[in-house]
């Protein structure tokens, strides 16, 4: 059929181009209404004001179509579509027909298959003889006039097959074309006063109110019965019954963009309330209940219920116990609820059904459920704890989840028969009630709401929602690839098989959504289908917590002094500071007005066993307690804006902290824990601003403070005076760490700008080693990778990671294929299990590399910021914390034991 459509269009347009050029171009008014030529039986038709523009929009501005034509069995269609499009884009064609209205309707032929009918408007001066003469002038076509009429022709390629025949008919102001002669005859009967599509219920009104510009699709519901049979493979099917109940027609404007399709319009129906049983017509609200759903939900529908009085409440029309519970709950539930389908565990295959109800009085609703639950326990001599599971993500939250004998609760509350499922598990959130047929699904809803990992924080959902109206009476949403099991009960076996054969492409349809509001005999609605080229798999995180902005810097592990539990300190790009507990719950958020410059530090400011968070920005020193409050006089203004990161040391392990901050005035300042300048320290003057950390080492009972401005390295004492005079000036690379070797005697190790490794002894002698050729932009660290007591030399340069053993021989080179790398960072999991961390900014990947250059098991992981590794639980096991996509904080549970 695709090939015939191609030949049909090319034949038709070839003649029309020449014809339109010949005819006086000023005649643009139509003589005929093209809708009156469309036979009455069409289930749907497309109207366009410019055929070339429609073809180009489909091909150029939509990834979904480009994916569709790559699927199996679409080769002929693709070739034909491209041939027609190329023809339409010829200047002489586009200039002549781009503003002529065209209709493409679809009808059932004698074989029960859909066949197209193309109707194109002509200038009033165009006659049949001119069209016939021009078509006969084409050597590549065979044109014969059909007997018994002077206005129809049969056309086929001179070198083709009769199977490629198309039929063309002329009517004043119109050209009619189809591969089916029967359709031509039907169109002529319609033009002569027979039944046409305008006479379908509601069509005249839809056509009259449709805009004159743009593209749109019309659907005639009473004609879709046979189409539903093709779709479902069944003569008697629910889809057919549902559509035919609408009994009217619909018109949707078509909007095409790179990410998908949006259809917006209205339908004329006999009774809009029949489309949404139990739903409330003539109402538009901003829905809220779906916002509590987890981001991994595969489908949902949100419904606005009809107003119901106590006397006329459907939930009372039953002697079942659940009906009594529903009647008592009804006064406290709102008029909106959401039904959803999701896996109990993230990424799981088994789907559960759950309902979320808005509540006008949560406490009262919870009392109703608990009292009815207790009565049932008492009457049946049961143990309450056997039927209550507790949702306890941490030591501060404890929510009961009831397993009750009240199945089909939401069905009774809504009064909608199809909502009757075994949703006997009940729990309450902040201002909503959850019911489900699965306890784990309820737990997941509660947990993901704590993490703010809800559907409204999902990027793809937000993108789709932005294409839909903000207010409606009904809202549904679907991930097609995740619901093939349900579609299998609706679509024919042939269609399901084709969908499974093209599951990779189907997964790229990220979601589809529908919002509408019924009003009397009309339904106003919008359908949106979204496409994403790169399908992101499940990250495999233990949890993901939504922040206000993207994570910046490396997360920090903080110890809760009350419980000993580990917590996470992190900052986002909006300068918000967060404390997140081990369950992923945000304990508090504070805006600190500037970005953290360097690292976080944990200190005991009051020397009472209670911990605080210290850090510095460019302008201030900050000290915040575990409750998110600033300590005493903090934040403290710096004497000069910082040129590099602050560092904090406890010289004598007596909690008498010292804080080094290099200033942009080339002075290195020393502050005490209260933010005062330390007396006895003479701010050290450098030749250039210091941009790296000031280091502190204690060797043989002496203190050594190391400051480098890149042009020289200085080793100072506690007063800021030179303690060690080096044999020569020491230049340091901008990204070189300054470490203390574990040799005898120890020395300071760092690299020069050219990558030369420098060893500075505390007697001032300097030795060097050249391990390779490196650029000035290299990063360097010194770390014992194999746990043998000797440090290894680690470089990152030009997209490669290098490791050299302590005897200075090369161990491995790992090529990442990009220079956008951060690191290396060292991580110790056990005495011998040690790894180097690397963050690939370009691919948003995190790597842990072992001593042999291999990835740790399960790596690389997805990540969008530098990362940290530590233990969140006393039960053991390591966690990797990093920034995630779309403002999330990721927590990965690592399969690394860390046992010695």
């Amino acid at each position: 059929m695709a090939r015939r459509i191609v030949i049909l269009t090319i034949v038709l347009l070839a003649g029309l181009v020449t014809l339109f050029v010949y005819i006086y171009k000023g005649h643009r008014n139509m003589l005929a209404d093209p809708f009156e030529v469309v036979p009455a039986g069409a289930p749907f038709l497309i109207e366009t004001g410019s055929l070339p523009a429609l073809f180009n929009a489909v091909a150029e501005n939509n990834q979904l179509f480009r994916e569709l034509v790559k699927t199996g069995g679409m080769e002929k269609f693709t070739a034909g579509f491209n041939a027609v499009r190329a023809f339409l884009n010829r200047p002489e064609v586009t200039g002549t027909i781009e503003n002529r209205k065209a209709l493409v309707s679809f009808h059932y032929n004698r074989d029960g298959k859909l066949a197209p009918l193309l109707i194109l408007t002509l200038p009033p001066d165009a006659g049949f003889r001119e069209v016939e003469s021009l078509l006969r002038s084409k050597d590549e076509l065979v044109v014969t006039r059909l007997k018994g009429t002077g206005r129809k022709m049969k056309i086929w390629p001179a070198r083709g097959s009769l199977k490629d025949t198309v039929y063309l008919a002329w009517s004043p102001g119109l050209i009619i074309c189809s591969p089916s002669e029967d359709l031509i005859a039907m169109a002529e009967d319609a033009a002569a006063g027979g039944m046409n599509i305008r006479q379908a219920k509601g069509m005249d009104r839809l056509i009259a109110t449709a805009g004159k510009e743009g593209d749109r699709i019309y659907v005639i519901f009473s004609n879709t019965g046979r189409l539903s049979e093709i779709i479902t493979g069944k003569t008697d099917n629910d889809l057919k019954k549902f559509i035919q109940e609408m009994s009217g027609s619909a018109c949707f404007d078509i909007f095409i963009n790179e990410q998908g399709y949006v259809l917006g319009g209205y339908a004329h129906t006999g009774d809009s309330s029949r489309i949404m049983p139990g739903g409330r017509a003539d109402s538009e609200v901003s829905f809220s209940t779906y916002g509590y759903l987890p981001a991994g939900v595969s489908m949902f529908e949100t419904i606005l219920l009809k107003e119901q009085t106590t006397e006329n409440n459907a939930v009372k029309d039953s002697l079942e116990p659940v009906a009594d519970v529903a009647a008592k709950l009804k006064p406290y539930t709102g008029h909106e609820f959401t039904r959803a389908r999701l896996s109990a565990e993230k990424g799981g295959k088994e789907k559960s059904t759950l309902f979320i109800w808005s509540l006008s009085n949560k406490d009262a609703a919870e009392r109703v459920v608990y009292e009815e639950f207790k009565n049932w326990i008492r009457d049946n001599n049961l143990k309450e704890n056997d039927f209550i599971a507790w949702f306890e993500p941490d030591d501060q939250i404890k929510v009961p989840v009831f397993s009750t004998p009240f199945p089909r609760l939401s069905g009774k509350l809504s009064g909608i028969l199809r909502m009757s499922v075994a949703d006997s598990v009940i729990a309450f959130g902040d201002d909503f009630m959850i019911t489900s047929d699965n306890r784990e699904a309820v737990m997941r809803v509660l947990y993901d709401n704590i993490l703010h990992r809800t559907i409204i924080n999902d990027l793809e959902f937000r993108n789709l929602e932005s294409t839909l109206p903000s207010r409606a009476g009904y809202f549904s949403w679907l991930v097609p690839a995740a619901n093939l099991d349900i579609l299998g009960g609706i679509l024919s076996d042939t269609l399901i098989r084709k969908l499974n054969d093209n599951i990779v492409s189907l997964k790229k349809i990220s979601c589809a959504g529908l919002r509408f509001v019924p009003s009397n005999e009309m339904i106003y609605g919008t359908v949106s289908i979204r496409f994403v080229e790169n399908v992101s798999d499940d990250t495999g995180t233990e949890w993901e917590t939504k922040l206000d902005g993207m994570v910046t810097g490396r997360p920090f592990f903080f110890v809760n002094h009350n419980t000993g539990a580990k917590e996470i300190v992190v900052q986002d790009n909006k300068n918000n500071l967060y404390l997140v507990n081990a369950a992923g719950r945000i304990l508090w958020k504070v805006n600190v007005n500037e970005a953290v410059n360097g690292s976080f530090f944990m200190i005991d400011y009051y020397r009472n066993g209670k911990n605080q968070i210290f850090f510095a920005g460019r302008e201030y020193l900050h000290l915040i307690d575990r409750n998110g409050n600033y300590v005493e006089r903090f934040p403290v203004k710096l004497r000069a804006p910082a040129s590099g990161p602050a560092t904090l040391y406890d010289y004598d392990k007596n909690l008498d902290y010292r804080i080094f901050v290099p200033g942009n005035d080339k002075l290195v300042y020393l502050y005490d824990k209260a933010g005062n300048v330390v007396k006895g320290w003479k701010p050290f003057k450098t030749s250039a601003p210091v941009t790296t950390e000031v280091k502190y080492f204690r060797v043989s009972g002496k203190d050594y403070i190391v400051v480098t401005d890149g042009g020289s390295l200085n080793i100072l004492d506690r007063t800021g005076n030179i303690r060690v005079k080096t044999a020569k000036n020491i230049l340091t690379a901008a990204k070189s760490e300054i470490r203390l070797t574990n040799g005898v005697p120890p020395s300071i190790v760092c690299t020069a700008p050219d990558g030369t490794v420098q060893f500075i002894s505390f007697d001032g002698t300097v030795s060097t080693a050249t391990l390779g050729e490196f650029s000035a932009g290299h990063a360097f660290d010194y770390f014992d990778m194999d746990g043998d007591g000797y440090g290894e030399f680690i470089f990152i340069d030009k997209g490669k990671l290098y490791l050299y053993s302590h005897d200075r021989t090369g161990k491995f080179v790992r090529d990442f294929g990009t220079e956008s790398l951060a690191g290396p960072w060292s991580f110790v999991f056990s005495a011998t299990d040690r790894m180097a961390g690397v963050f690939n900014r370009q691919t948003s990947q995190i790597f842990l590399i072992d001593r042999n250059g291999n990835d740790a098991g399960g790596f690389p992981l997805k990540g969008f910021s530098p990362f940290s590794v530590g233990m969140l639980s006393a039960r053991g096991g390591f966690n990797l914390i990093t920034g995630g996509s779309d403002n999330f904080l990721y927590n990965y549970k690592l399969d690394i034991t860390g046992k010695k």
Side-chain angles (χ1 to χ4, degrees):
M1 186 180 78
R3 185 180 179 190
R4 293 183 182 184
I5 294 173
V6 172
I7 295 171
L8 155 70
T9 310
I10 293 179
V11 169
L12 174 63
L13 295 179
L16 292 180
V17 169
T18 309
L19 179 65
F20 289 170
V21 173
Y22 174 77
I23 296 175
Y24 178 60
K25 292 185 179 180
H27 297 284
R28 292 292 178 181
N29 296 321
M30 294 187 296
L31 285 178
D33 175 9
F35 286 97
E36 293 184 351
V37 185
V38 179
F44 63 94
L45 63 114
I46 297 171
E47 176 188 12
T48 179
S50 175
L51 208 57
L54 177 60
F55 270 70
N56 290 334
V58 169
E60 294 179 358
N61 303 328
N62 186 256
Q63 296 183 79
L64 181 56
F65 179 81
R66 293 198 292 272
E67 187 68 28
L68 174 66
V69 298
K70 291 191 296 184
T71 60
M74 296 294 291
E75 294 80 9
K76 289 185 177 180
F77 173 80
T78 303
F81 182 91
N82 290 335
V84 173
R85 179 169 171 256
F87 181 80
L88 292 174
N89 284 324
R90 289 169 56 181
E92 64 272 23
V93 176
T94 301
T96 305
I97 71 168
E98 66 176 344
N99 294 319
R100 310 303 303 183
K101 177 178 286 189
L103 297 179
V104 182
S105 60
F106 294 84
H107 306 258
Y108 305 105
N109 61 19
R110 292 177 180 175
D111 298 328
K113 296 181 179 179
L114 285 176
L117 178 71
L118 171 64
I119 303 170
L120 188 66
T121 58
L122 296 176
D125 298 354
F128 178 75
R129 288 190 177 89
E130 288 87 355
V131 174
E132 180 184 29
S133 175
L134 289 169
L135 290 174
R136 288 184 183 278
S137 69
K138 305 296 181 182
D139 294 336
E140 65 269 27
L141 301 177
V142 177
V143 181
T144 62
R145 186 180 293 193
L146 296 179
K147 296 180 180 180
T149 177
R151 294 183 175 184
K152 285 197 293 188
M153 291 176 288
K154 180 179 180 180
I155 309 163
W156 67 91
R159 298 174 183 172
S161 166
L162 288 176
K163 293 182 179 180
D164 299 323
T165 297
V166 293
Y167 300 87
L168 184 146
W170 177 88
S171 182
L174 300 171
I175 283 291
I176 307 165
C177 223
S178 176
S180 169
E181 188 175 4
D182 292 342
L183 284 186
I184 296 292
M186 291 166 61
E188 289 183 313
D189 289 343
M195 295 288 290
N196 64 62
I197 203 68
R198 272 189 176 273
Q199 294 164 315
K201 185 176 181 180
M203 275 295 289
D204 227 9
R205 180 177 174 182
L206 294 176
I207 294 170
T209 55
K212 295 182 179 180
E213 304 296 331
D215 308 308
R216 57 192 58 88
I217 183 170
Y218 295 87
V219 181
I220 300 87
F221 298 117
S222 58
N223 295 338
T224 59
R226 294 176 68 183
L227 181 60
S228 70
E229 293 174 12
I230 295 172
I231 293 173
T232 64
K234 300 174 183 177
T235 303
D236 186 21
N237 60 81
D238 293 336
L239 178 63
K240 179 179 179 179
K241 294 175 183 177
F242 175 75
I243 294 176
Q244 289 186 336
E245 276 187 353
M246 298 183 73
S247 72
S249 305
C251 174
F252 294 96
D253 292 323
I254 304 171
F255 303 95
I256 302 172
N257 57 44
E258 186 67 14
Q259 286 74 40
Y261 296 90
V262 179
L263 305 178
Y266 41 91
H268 184 280
T269 68
D271 181 4
S272 63
S273 65
R274 298 175 65 187
I275 309 306
M276 193 171 67
R280 191 162 82 197
D282 300 307
S283 297
E284 292 185 59
V285 300
S286 295
F287 290 132
S288 61
T289 52
Y290 70 84
Y292 299 110
L293 293 171
V297 68
S298 64
M299 66 179 294
F300 74 79
E301 58 179 334
T302 300
I303 296 176
L304 188 66
L305 290 173
K306 292 178 180 178
E307 296 281 0
Q308 293 181 340
T309 64
T310 305
E311 294 76 16
N312 187 29
N313 195 326
V315 300
K316 281 199 160 189
D317 298 335
S318 173
L319 297 177
E320 296 178 89
V322 65
D324 187 49
V325 175
K328 293 178 179 179
L329 270 176
K330 192 64 181 176
Y332 310 118
T333 58
H335 299 294
E336 173 202 338
F337 76 97
T338 291
R339 180 195 190 193
R341 190 169 189 252
L342 79 162
S343 59
E345 297 295 332
K346 188 174 64 171
K349 294 182 179 180
E350 295 298 323
K351 300 293 193 302
S352 298
T353 299
L354 64 87
F355 297 85
I356 295 183
W357 287 85
S358 61
L359 298 175
S360 58
N361 189 328
K362 177 205 169 185
D363 292 338
E366 194 166 9
R367 279 197 301 271
V368 166
V369 170
Y370 186 51
E371 288 300 322
E372 294 297 320
F373 172 78
K374 283 199 306 182
N375 292 339
W376 171 69
I377 291 291
R378 183 196 62 232
D379 294 344
N380 290 276
N381 196 26
L382 301 173
K383 294 182 179 179
E384 184 174 294
N385 289 339
D386 291 343
F387 297 89
I388 296 181
W390 295 95
F391 171 66
E392 297 181 272
D394 56 38
D395 57 358
Q396 298 179 39
I397 294 178
K398 189 175 183 179
V399 178
V401 179
F402 303 97
S403 294
T404 74
F406 313 127
R408 302 180 300 281
L409 177 61
S410 290
K412 293 296 181 182
L413 279 171
S414 66
I416 303 175
L417 183 61
R418 65 185 177 87
M419 300 297 167
S420 294
V421 300
D423 58 331
S424 58
V425 180
I426 306 172
F428 292 85
D430 291 336
D431 54 359
F432 62 95
M433 179 177 72
I434 316 163
T435 72
S436 179
D437 56 1
N438 185 289
R439 178 189 294 169
E440 284 70 31
V442 173
M443 296 279 198
R444 183 177 168 196
V445 173
L446 293 170
Y447 191 30
D448 282 11
N449 272 270
I450 285 176
L451 302 180
H452 305 289
R453 190 182 178 276
T454 53
I455 195 168
I456 57 173
N457 288 323
D458 179 80
L459 181 60
E460 273 306 306
F461 177 82
R462 293 204 312 272
N463 287 336
L464 179 135
E465 193 178 31
S466 68
T467 65
L468 299 172
S470 59
R471 300 171 68 84
Y474 176 87
F475 181 20
S476 65
W477 183 84
L478 169 75
V479 179
N483 290 283
L484 283 183
D485 56 335
I486 290 181
L487 295 177
I490 300 173
L491 305 181
S492 68
D493 293 342
T494 301
L495 284 176
I496 288 296
R497 186 165 53 253
K498 288 183 178 180
L499 290 174
N500 279 311
D501 290 343
N502 295 284
I503 191 66
V504 174
S505 295
L506 184 63
K507 286 182 177 181
K508 294 183 180 182
I509 302 177
S510 62
C511 53
L514 162 67
R515 275 186 179 172
F516 69 76
V517 56
S519 178
N520 298 322
E521 294 186 351
M522 300 293 287
I523 293 179
Y524 301 87
T526 303
V527 179
S528 181
I529 302 172
R530 294 282 301 181
F531 178 90
V532 56
E533 177 62 38
N534 298 313
V535 180
S536 50
D537 297 324
D538 184 15
T539 58
T541 57
E542 186 171 37
W543 50 250
E544 300 172 11
T545 294
K546 182 75 171 182
L547 308 180
D548 289 352
M550 291 292 289
V551 172
T552 58
R554 296 179 66 188
F556 176 73
F557 288 88
F558 179 81
V559 177
N560 181 332
H561 51 259
N562 295 318
T563 66
K566 294 288 185 65
E567 296 167 342
I568 302 160
V569 179
V570 68
Q571 188 180 40
D572 67 19
N573 59 358
K574 297 181 179 180
N575 295 333
N576 293 313
L577 194 73
Y578 302 83
L579 184 65
V580 182
N581 71 9
R585 183 165 65 92
I586 296 173
L587 301 177
W588 50 255
K589 177 187 73 174
V590 177
N591 191 281
V592 294
N593 296 320
E594 64 176 347
V596 176
N597 186 8
S599 302
F600 294 102
F601 300 89
M602 183 173 71
I603 71 171
D604 182 354
Y605 182 83
Y606 294 105
R607 299 185 182 183
N608 60 358
K610 295 182 178 181
N611 298 325
Q612 296 83 36
I613 304 160
F614 172 84
F615 60 95
R618 188 173 182 273
E619 301 287 344
Y620 292 90
L621 299 176
H622 302 262
L623 186 61
I624 296 179
D625 66 22
R626 193 195 161 273
N627 296 318
N629 302 313
Y630 271 106
V631 172
E632 294 182 352
R633 56 189 293 239
F634 285 87
V636 174
K637 181 78 171 177
L638 293 170
R639 291 296 182 94
S643 61
T647 49
L648 180 146
Y649 299 102
D650 184 1
Y651 292 160
D652 302 311
K653 308 301 180 185
N654 60 359
L655 307 184
D656 190 16
Y657 304 100
R658 293 293 181 260
I659 303 153
F660 290 98
V661 182
N664 64 3
D665 57 0
K666 303 178 187 179
L667 292 175
V668 177
Y669 293 92
L670 183 63
Y671 299 87
D672 63 19
K673 64 181 181 181
N676 302 309
V677 173
V678 173
K679 296 180 179 179
W681 169 265
K682 179 182 177 182
F684 185 77
K685 182 78 171 181
T686 56
S687 299
V690 174
T691 59
T692 58
E693 292 181 346
V694 174
K695 295 290 186 175
Y696 165 79
F697 304 111
R698 174 164 285 189
V699 178
S700 300
K702 293 183 179 180
D703 298 315
Y704 298 90
I705 296 162
V706 182
V707 177
T708 178
D709 59 9
S712 62
L713 182 145
N714 303 279
I715 304 175
L716 315 176
D717 60 18
R718 284 197 188 187
T719 66
N721 295 313
I722 298 292
R723 164 156 268 174
V724 176
K725 293 184 178 180
T726 56
K728 63 176 183 178
N729 190 40
I730 308 297
L731 304 179
T732 55
K735 298 180 182 179
S736 172
E737 283 287 352
I738 299 174
R739 300 293 189 190
L740 187 66
T741 70
N742 43 10
V744 180
S747 60
I748 295 170
V749 60
C750 60
T751 55
D754 64 357
T756 299
V757 180
Q758 304 172 111
F759 302 89
I760 303 100
S761 298
F762 292 102
D763 61 3
T765 60
V766 179
S767 61
T768 61
T770 301
L771 305 182
E773 295 182 2
F774 298 100
S775 71
H778 77 269
F780 168 79
D781 204 351
Y782 177 80
F783 171 59
D784 183 2
M785 280 283 287
D786 53 18
D788 63 356
Y790 298 96
E792 276 71 50
F793 307 93
I794 309 173
F795 292 82
I796 289 180
D797 192 34
K798 295 183 178 179
K800 295 180 181 180
L801 176 70
Y802 301 80
L803 180 68
Y804 296 87
S805 69
H806 65 276
D807 62 6
R808 304 176 189 182
T809 59
K811 298 285 287 184
F812 68 78
V813 178
R814 175 75 180 270
D815 192 347
F816 290 88
T818 174
E819 295 190 24
S820 186
L821 301 179
W825 300 290
S826 57
F827 298 102
V828 177
F829 298 100
S830 71
T832 57
D833 199 2
R834 299 157 180 243
M835 298 187 187
V838 177
F839 171 49
N840 188 330
R841 295 189 183 92
Q842 181 174 316
T843 62
S844 299
Q845 289 179 305
I846 286 171
F847 296 83
L848 281 183
I849 311 296
D850 67 18
R851 70 190 73 175
N852 299 313
N854 300 317
D855 291 332
F859 282 79
L861 299 174
K862 202 68 177 175
F864 294 79
S865 78
F867 61 97
S868 298
V869 176
M871 288 186 176
L872 279 178
S873 171
R875 294 188 298 271
F878 287 89
N879 298 79
L880 186 150
I881 311 298
T882 183
S885 64
D886 196 28
N887 300 346
F888 277 94
L889 178 69
Y890 287 174
N891 168 31
Y892 291 97
K893 186 72 172 178
L894 300 185
D895 187 19
I896 301 172
T897 63
K899 295 179 181 179
K900 295 185 179 181

